[in-house]
Amino acid sequence: SSAYKKTYGNRVSNFSNPTAKLILETMERKKSNLAVSVDVTDANDLLAIIEAVAPYHSHELFFKTHIDIIQNFDFSLIEKLQHLSQKYDFVYFEDRKFADIGNTVALQYSSGVYKIASWSHLTNAHPVPGLSIIKGLSSVGLPLGRGLLLLAEMSTKGSLAVGTYTEEAVRMARQNRDFVIGFIAQKRMDGVGSSEEEDTSDEDFLILTPGIGLDAKGDSMGQQYRTPREAIFGSGCDIIIVGRGIYGTDSKAVDTIAAQAERYMAEGWAAYLARINN
Ligand code: 6AU
């Protein structure tokens, strides 16, 4: 497809959503397609990892959080996270995986302890409820300029998000281009599920892909890993999401974490350059 060969910067105009534009501009400026997934349970570890990685290289595009696993959460953490994102110029992706009816997800997105929409540029949702979930989330997120990814596929062994489910997810996104800016998926989705009359040749979605590891093939709970090159060059994904490959099992080993982030960042960018120059 055309987007596969284009630079990130040249794709900015393919999107109307401000978060999509911000992501592509940040990628171009920082020469990075790495999202660091920081799945730690202590707020201080979360802040320490961001501080370790962000200023040192200044390359990290995204930090992806699961804010509901933090044991010592209070809203001052969000203020600190916002301060860091301004200081180091990166984007937050709260990996909430909403999955309920529109009315419920609108409340979960705007309210409660975490008030996700107030600070997270990007979030994601399972398409399983149908268009209702986009209606609910966009009623909150669109006025704030936020963006949404649909989980069109998953990285786990035996995932049910395949075939017509994936096609329906893409059709849902196509109808809501102002808010749905792309997918969590394992490959490009251009033209997937489109009818023969539809012209999808100029279609562009951001593909963020998890299940990336250079040293392991998976974990003991069904996660499956492939390399940045396989994901970006081989399958046309745009952004690699890396968690344990970067922070390992010892979330306090700050030097190692920074070095690993650098390694994934370099691999991801090299794969992108190979793709656009191929
Ligand atoms: O690199 P890992 O395996 O340590 O972490 C991968 C991260 C985790 C998962 O919750 C998330 O990516 N994830 C997702 C996302 C981002 O939505 C979807 C999926 O199919 N697989 C997956 O691992 O924080």
Side-chain angles (χ1 to χ4, degrees):
S1 87
S2 50
Y4 177 86
K5 297 297 290 175
K6 274 193 183 159
T7 66
Y8 295 130
N10 283 337
R11 291 167 59 187
V12 173
S13 59
N14 292 349
F15 294 85
S16 62
N17 180 281
T19 292
K21 288 179 185 292
L22 173 69
I23 291 167
L24 287 163
E25 282 160 4
T26 310
M27 288 164 85
E28 187 72 40
R29 185 169 65 250
K30 290 195 163 187
K31 301 198 183 330
S32 173
N33 48 21
L34 172 65
V36 182
S37 172
V38 205
D39 299 349
V40 296
T41 54
D42 187 294
N44 299 316
D45 289 348
L46 174 60
L47 294 168
I49 289 173
I50 295 175
E51 277 283 8
V53 162
Y56 189 53
H57 302 286
S58 230
H59 283 315
E60 283 61 31
L61 168 64
F62 274 106
F63 285 95
K64 186 180 81 56
T65 49
H66 283 297
I67 205 70
D68 60 352
I69 67 176
I70 301 286
Q71 288 165 6
N72 47 346
F73 179 87
D74 67 66
F75 214 76
S76 71
L77 174 62
I78 299 298
E79 281 151 27
K80 288 175 193 147
L81 290 176
Q82 281 179 316
H83 172 73
L84 288 174
S85 100
Q86 276 153 20
K87 188 168 165 195
Y88 300 123
D89 180 23
F90 57 76
V91 177
Y92 280 118
F93 169 17
E94 167 58 22
D95 185 2
R96 174 61 179 76
K97 295 190 180 69
F98 292 100
D100 213 323
I101 63 166
N103 185 61
T104 302
V105 295
L107 296 170
Q108 290 171 324
Y109 189 27
S110 64
S111 308
V113 175
Y114 304 115
K115 307 184 201 332
I116 294 164
S118 77
W119 58 274
S120 184
H121 304 92
L122 185 63
T123 192
N124 53 356
H126 286 292
V128 68
L131 286 170
S132 175
I133 196 162
I134 301 178
K135 289 213 173 77
L137 292 171
S138 67
S139 73
V140 175
L142 204 51
L144 297 169
R146 304 309 189 195
L148 182 71
L149 304 173
L150 291 179
L151 283 109
E153 296 177 322
M154 290 197 75
S155 61
T156 37
K157 215 171 286 172
S159 162
L160 304 182
V162 296
T164 52
Y165 181 93
T166 301
E167 288 173 19
E168 284 298 336
V170 180
R171 283 198 275 271
M172 282 168 63
R174 213 169 266 140
Q175 292 170 49
N176 293 276
R177 290 290 322 261
D178 54 347
F179 188 53
V180 183
I181 65 175
F183 304 100
I184 297 289
Q186 298 291 300
K187 57 179 183 296
R188 283 213 79 72
M189 289 288 149
D190 306 352
V192 167
S194 63
S195 63
E196 272 170 32
E197 310 84 75
E198 254 175 308
D199 180 13
T200 54
S201 54
D202 288 335
E203 178 168 271
D204 195 359
F205 290 112
L206 296 177
I207 307 293
L208 279 73
T209 198
I212 300 289
L214 285 165
D215 305 315
K217 285 276 152 223
D219 68 11
S220 62
M221 298 182 189
Q223 177 69 299
Q224 306 177 109
Y225 291 127
R226 57 194 176 144
T227 64
R229 191 176 168 90
E230 287 172 299
I232 301 272
F233 181 79
S235 303
C237 299
D238 295 311
I239 294 169
I240 50 171
I241 298 173
V242 188
R244 286 165 290 178
I246 289 177
Y247 64 81
T249 47
D250 181 3
S251 57
K252 294 187 177 59
V254 160
D255 289 353
T256 324
I257 291 167
Q260 284 295 92
E262 177 74 40
R263 184 176 167 224
Y264 280 92
M265 200 277 300
E267 291 267 344
W269 196 255
Y272 159 72
L273 291 179
R275 166 172 128 188
I276 58 169
N277 294 321
N278 182 29

